[in-house]
Amino acid sequence: MSAVERGVDGHGRAGRVLSGLAVAVGCLLFLGGFGWAALLYRPYTVPTDSMAPTIGRGDRILAQRIDGGEVRRGDVVVFEDEVWANVPMVKRVVGVGGDHIECCDKQGRLMINGKPVEEPYLEGSGPASPTGFSATVPEGRLFLLGDHRSDSLDSRSHMTDAGQGTVPRDAVRARVDATAWPVSGWGMIERPGAFAALPGGTSRPGPLPLITTCVVVGAVLILGGAAVGALAQRVARGRKATVAAHG
């Protein structure tokens, strides 16, 4: 084999190695990302408008599996409680154990422990609740409201139940991190800043953005690696043909 032919083979081999490495790393990131997501997240479909405009009817959401002890004020959670029909429901946590919740002040705002809370995520421009209420949250329980306060059956509808409409923390199955469908509404669910100043602050978002990055980068590497491999083989064949022609 001549030096020219060895050079052609060397370039082709380097291209194949680079292609194989890119595809291997891409598969690791792509499959690893999906596996990671399957362990941490669970999809749900929201059947009502009670969480509009944050989450609309029929939206597909991704919720991180968490322990009820990790829940903070402002979190949108999926929970199941036998008093609330024992089916998965999605609401926003506005009160935790020891809180006194009432509505509304003169500006129509929700009050937590005597402090007004700004809720920019609410549907419409009216008061935080069309009907007034007041409740003290027992320890180990949560007070939950929908963002569409005039179209939500939530803790206000269960005020006469034990616990003044609250649910136990262990009823929480997951915390909603993002809306996944429809594509036009895809995005992370933000932690409300108004709750950050209260004791305990707000929760931190889950690793969904990092998981998404892993999957996207993995897909790009797989496709790019396959393209590089195919291009390297074509170039190598062309160079061999040229070498053979000039004998």
Side-chain angles (χ1 to χ4, degrees):
M1 178 182 293
S2 69
V4 175
E5 290 174 321
R6 286 196 297 271
V8 170
D9 286 341
H11 285 299
R13 188 177 303 109
R16 290 193 295 272
V17 170
L18 179 61
S19 171
L21 181 61
V23 171
V25 174
C27 286
L28 182 63
L29 290 173
F30 187 78
L31 297 177
F34 273 109
W36 190 9
L39 287 175
L40 292 183
Y41 287 90
R42 183 175 176 182
Y44 292 90
T45 300
V46 179
T48 71
D49 289 318
S50 68
M51 281 301 296
T54 306
I55 304 171
R57 181 193 297 266
D59 282 2
R60 192 78 164 169
I61 58 175
L62 292 176
Q64 182 184 4
R65 295 180 173 94
I66 62 167
D67 180 83
E70 301 176 54
V71 175
R72 299 289 183 270
R73 300 180 192 88
D75 286 345
V76 177
V77 299
V78 179
F79 66 97
E80 292 182 42
D81 185 70
E82 58 183 9
V83 177
W84 294 45
N86 207 31
V87 296
M89 303 186 76
V90 180
K91 303 293 178 187
R92 187 183 297 273
V93 176
V94 299
V96 298
D99 285 346
H100 181 68
I101 313 295
E102 59 183 323
C103 198
C104 304
D105 70 357
K106 293 181 179 180
Q107 285 73 46
R109 297 172 296 185
L110 182 73
M111 303 281 288
I112 300 178
N113 301 325
K115 298 180 179 179
V117 176
E118 298 292 342
E119 299 182 279
Y121 47 77
L122 295 182
E123 173 70 21
S125 58
S129 176
T131 57
F133 65 89
S134 177
T136 298
V137 185
E139 290 297 330
R141 299 181 73 88
L142 305 168
F143 195 89
L144 305 112
L145 298 175
D147 287 357
H148 195 333
R149 298 284 161 81
S150 62
D151 190 25
S152 176
L153 297 177
D154 45 40
S155 288
R156 296 169 299 170
S157 305
H158 296 272
M159 295 290 288
T160 58
D161 299 339
Q164 297 188 73
T166 61
V167 301
R169 280 184 174 269
D170 60 14
V172 174
R173 299 291 176 263
R175 178 171 53 219
V176 181
D177 254 5
T179 302
W181 187 264
V183 175
S184 59
W186 190 93
M188 298 293 292
I189 302 295
E190 296 183 2
R191 271 52 173 177
F195 293 96
L198 298 175
T202 53
S203 63
R204 300 183 64 180
L208 186 58
L210 179 58
I211 291 174
T212 302
T213 299
C214 287
V215 172
V216 171
V217 171
V220 170
L221 286 174
I222 292 171
L223 295 175
V228 168
L231 180 61
Q233 289 181 351
R234 180 176 298 178
V235 170
R237 286 196 298 268
R239 286 178 175 174
K240 285 183 178 180
T242 300
V243 170
H246 291 81

